[in-house]
Amino acid sequence: MNNEKIMVTRSTLPDYDEYCGMLKRIWNDHWLTNNGEYHEALANELESFLDVENITLFTNGHLALESALQSLHLSGEVITTPFTFASTTHAIVRSGLVPVFCDINETDYTIDVDKIESLITNKTCAIVPVHVYGNICDVDRINEIAKKYNLKVIYDAAHAFAIKKNGVDIANFGDISMFSFHATKVFNTIEGGALAYNNTEYKQAINLSKNFGIANAESIQSVGGNAKMNEFQAAMGLCNLKHINESIQMRKHIVEKYRECLSVIKGIHFLKEFEGIQSNYAYFPILVDEAVYGRNRDELADYLQKENVYVRKYFYPLVNAFECYSTNYNVEDTPIAKRISEQVITLPLYSDLAISDCEKICSLIQEGSIHE
Ligand code: T4K
């Protein structure tokens, strides 16, 4: 392995001249933000690409999620999972709502749909499931439950850009889906995010919430914030969108190589392809079974780091163990999430990760085992 650090991910960038070429127009027009030309073009292109009626762009995914929750005028309890990034739960709490944690399933680490109904009370207003790592929740069962109890469904689809289930883009499930376009994501706009929804009645409230509630210069209709995507972000998005399919194909090759090389290592588990799902290969999580592998997850992570491979423990600790939430919640209530979070490591994955580096990472994992 060369001595360069290999990080868990690396931003996908377009050709330098391609991006700089886009910037000339911004300099000519002096129009930097507030629904500029690139902003409008990117929203339109994403509506086509995701085959969804409405896309509203945001400066980041987190504020998009807050906007979704606030625009639907929800109050009370929201059922969600603790096996996620801080953003999901923080968005719920910062919107004045109470998170209720449901456990995840062992098959794909998304919400355990068999446990949702037992958590519904007369205060439940919504479900915020997470398509974690780009693994798609059981959208059909969630839809049935939501209909039965008259609940809204807002998907945290931060990891799920460009994924299709049986040919249908994932943006089309639930009331609203939030995508993150952060630098670390499959598709990035530097920082950025979007809400995708088919019900056009949501559009006005969402637009107001990201622009101070301003309907026009003399009409301020709601107490909105500022979460607008600027022209530099939108230009990056337009460039990256041109290359997205190629970039996902490159990720796919790396994932296939990981699966091939890791399949011979005892005590290392990973997820296979899911039937009917066209993946985006966003993350490559593995579970370390200490009893079989011979080292625990933390020992393996430290060992790899000494070899310049910077894996991450997405998602450890669980959200219900965070200092800011642990007095009100108990991680023992979500035992599957607890176990997975204690065993998981996400391996480096980005479109231009060299296959030789991928092979070397797997060799290191093999060498770290007691079965070496
Ligand atoms: N919901 C879920 C389920 C999410 O995972 C996220 C974000 C959100 C909601 C909220 O969406 P955003 O508001 O972020 O749009 C990273 C990302 O910052 C965060 O976007 C992401 N999830 C989370 C899973 O990962 P950190 O604290 O791990 O990032 P950081 O700075 O340690 O970067 C990780 C690696 O990425 C670095 O080691 C190298 C590489 N990197 C990073 C940056 C910032 C680059 O190559 N380029 C860069 O510019 O949170």
Side-chain angles (χ1 to χ4, degrees):
M1 173 117 6
N2 64 35
N3 285 329
E4 271 182 37
K5 288 181 181 173
I6 300 182
M7 310 308 284
V8 69
T9 193
R10 189 162 81 151
S11 298
T12 303
L13 287 170
D15 180 74
Y16 180 73
D17 292 331
E18 187 182 355
Y19 183 63
C20 289
M22 299 277 291
L23 302 186
K24 286 196 190 115
R25 214 225 69 229
I26 302 179
W27 257 257
N28 285 343
D29 294 357
H30 290 248
W31 192 272
L32 308 185
T33 186
N34 289 13
N35 303 328
E37 212 173 288
Y38 287 153
H39 176 282
E40 299 305 281
L42 180 61
N44 287 337
E45 287 201 19
L46 287 173
E47 282 167 5
S48 303
F49 183 80
L50 301 176
D51 197 20
V52 69
E53 209 58 45
N54 302 287
I55 285 285
T56 303
L57 296 173
F58 282 82
T59 193
N60 60 54
H62 177 80
L63 288 175
L65 188 55
E66 287 194 8
S67 169
L69 293 162
Q70 292 164 21
S71 304
L72 292 176
H73 304 294
L74 302 171
S75 65
E77 295 172 355
V78 173
I79 297 174
T80 187
T81 50
F83 188 68
T84 183
F85 193 55
S87 169
T88 319
T89 311
H90 287 353
I92 293 168
V93 173
R94 286 164 57 88
S95 300
L97 299 159
V98 179
V100 173
F101 291 112
C102 184
D103 208 354
I104 58 172
N105 69 66
E106 292 185 275
T107 317
D108 59 18
Y109 319 144
T110 65
I111 193 163
D112 184 341
V113 286
D114 292 329
K115 294 187 181 143
I116 296 177
E117 285 195 80
S118 65
L119 297 171
I120 294 174
T121 70
N122 57 8
K123 293 190 189 134
T124 310
C125 59
I127 311 174
V128 176
V130 184
H131 297 309
V132 68
Y133 305 131
N135 299 340
I136 298 309
C137 302
D138 186 342
V139 289
D140 298 327
R141 279 288 303 284
I142 291 169
N143 185 38
E144 275 167 30
I145 296 168
K147 277 215 165 100
K148 182 170 166 192
Y149 295 92
N150 194 23
L151 305 175
K152 297 288 184 201
V153 179
I154 300 111
Y155 281 106
D156 182 333
H159 303 171
F161 186 77
I163 296 181
K164 289 192 167 95
K165 180 181 159 76
N166 298 326
V168 179
D169 194 283
I170 218 60
N172 290 284
F173 297 97
D175 290 276
I176 304 179
S177 294
M178 178 280 286
F179 294 97
S180 165
F181 304 152
H182 183 261
T184 54
K185 297 295 188 284
V186 168
F187 168 70
N188 86 76
T189 60
I190 309 172
E191 291 262 7
L195 294 181
Y197 48 100
N198 283 316
N199 186 345
T200 304
E201 285 176 14
Y202 296 155
K203 198 181 188 88
Q204 197 191 7
I206 290 172
N207 276 334
L208 290 174
S209 87
K210 72 167 195 180
N211 188 25
F212 308 104
I214 298 173
N216 65 53
E218 297 187 7
S219 167
I220 288 72
Q221 294 183 356
S222 60
V223 188
N226 178 5
K228 299 181 298 284
M229 178 181 279
N230 68 51
E231 288 291 90
F232 294 83
Q233 293 173 286
M236 181 63 87
L238 287 167
C239 289
N240 279 335
L241 197 57
K242 286 197 189 107
H243 308 288
I244 187 72
N245 293 330
E246 183 194 340
S247 170
I248 291 174
Q249 270 309 109
M250 289 163 82
R251 286 173 170 271
K252 182 177 186 214
H253 288 140
I254 296 155
V255 166
E256 284 168 352
K257 181 53 76 179
Y258 269 135
R259 286 180 177 147
E260 177 195 322
C261 296
L262 295 176
S263 61
V264 296
I265 307 178
K266 295 193 181 81
I268 298 293
H269 303 284
F270 54 86
L271 299 174
K272 312 254 163 37
E273 211 83 359
F274 293 100
E275 217 187 303
I277 300 293
Q278 186 183 312
S279 178
N280 65 1
Y281 307 96
Y283 291 86
F284 194 81
I286 60 169
L287 297 189
V288 183
D289 180 349
E290 183 181 2
V292 181
Y293 181 70
R295 293 188 197 219
N296 66 32
R297 181 274 305 272
D298 291 344
E299 288 165 344
L300 176 58
D302 290 347
Y303 167 73
L304 290 172
Q305 189 158 322
K306 283 196 190 97
E307 300 289 338
N308 272 337
V309 177
Y310 286 71
V311 300
R312 291 295 283 268
K313 300 169 196 171
Y314 294 136
F315 289 97
Y316 175 87
L318 287 184
V319 175
N320 44 6
F322 287 2
E323 294 95 305
C324 54
Y325 296 126
S326 61
T327 46
N328 294 329
Y329 298 95
N330 185 350
V331 286
E332 305 300 334
D333 293 340
T334 52
I336 308 291
K338 179 170 182 276
R339 183 175 66 74
I340 305 291
S341 80
E342 286 167 352
Q343 294 188 344
V344 76
I345 284 178
T346 47
L347 297 183
L349 178 55
Y350 42 93
S351 54
D352 54 357
L353 178 69
I355 288 289
S356 56
D357 281 338
C358 173
E359 286 169 338
K360 284 175 194 166
I361 293 166
C362 296
S363 300
L364 286 171
I365 296 173
Q366 173 111 54
E367 285 159 21
S369 152
I370 49 166
H371 304 286
E372 188 192 339

